[in-house]
Amino acid sequence: MPGLLGRKIGMTSVFSADGKNVPCTVIEVGPCVVTQVKTVEKDGYKAVQLGFGEAKEKNTSKPMMGVFKKAGTTPKAHLAEFKFEEDYNLGDVITVELFANAEFVDVVGTSKGKGFQGVVKRHGFGGVGQSTHGQDDRLRKPGSIGACSYPAKVFKGMRMGGHMGGDRVTTQNLKVLKVIPEHNLLLVKGSCAGCNGSTVLIEK
């Protein structure tokens, strides 16, 4: 599906036409440059590779520098492929106006990393007070995790403490509240994954 790369600015709120205060996320979308055009004849599928954000030339590999020079643009920090119905050429610039007529969008981001967390925070265990696992003298522990002498093992997928966050998360059907082309801004209702300043993908 068509889409663009952007940067999450943060959250705010706007007033709707009927006077309701609506929470929204502000995303700086594009401008994105077409760095490669994939064709069925050459690559086996049709897609457009877009670049977003500036990168230093010294931090860019020589093969990628060749790609950017062929497209006639500066090195880009982030790349992603999208499928467009329209035909684009190398070096074309696509802006936030792509979403001018969109009613809903999907936003893909990387959730905030929480480090190593226990079962209460990670999986919502309630402890002994709420009688969901736990132990009588340690309220935030997971309690029993194994079976009896048969099968005498811990099954895969058992909810336990571990690394939390830092996952790719897609938030679907966020309503487009406003498009501000002069500032490359897109306002969507609600929240999306990622910290302020993180790179996100916005898809129609």
Side-chain angles (χ1 to χ4, degrees), residues 57-69:
E57 187 172 338
K58 69 174 185 177
N59 296 333
T60 306
S61 65
K62 287 185 178 180
M64 289 310 302
M65 280 303 302
V67 171
F68 295 133
K69 286 182 179 179

Side-chain angles (χ1 to χ4, degrees), residues 87-119:
D87 293 326
Y88 289 99
N89 299 317
L90 289 177
D92 288 351
V93 177
I94 308 175
T95 65
V96 69
E97 294 182 11
L98 176 72
F99 302 107
N101 298 322
E103 188 175 357
F104 297 94
V105 295
D106 297 342
V107 179
V108 184
T110 303
S111 62
K112 292 181 181 179
K114 306 289 185 181
F116 189 99
Q117 298 297 333
V119 291

Side-chain angles (χ1 to χ4, degrees), residues 31-38 48-51 66-74 76 79 87-95:
C32 295
V33 182
V34 176
T35 54
Q36 281 188 356
V37 178
K38 307 285 187 177
V48 174
Q49 185 190 79
L50 301 180
V67 171
F68 295 133
K69 286 182 179 179
K70 189 175 181 181
T73 184
T74 56
K76 300 301 177 184
L79 299 172
D87 293 326
Y88 289 99
N89 299 317
L90 289 177
D92 288 351
V93 177
I94 308 175
T95 65

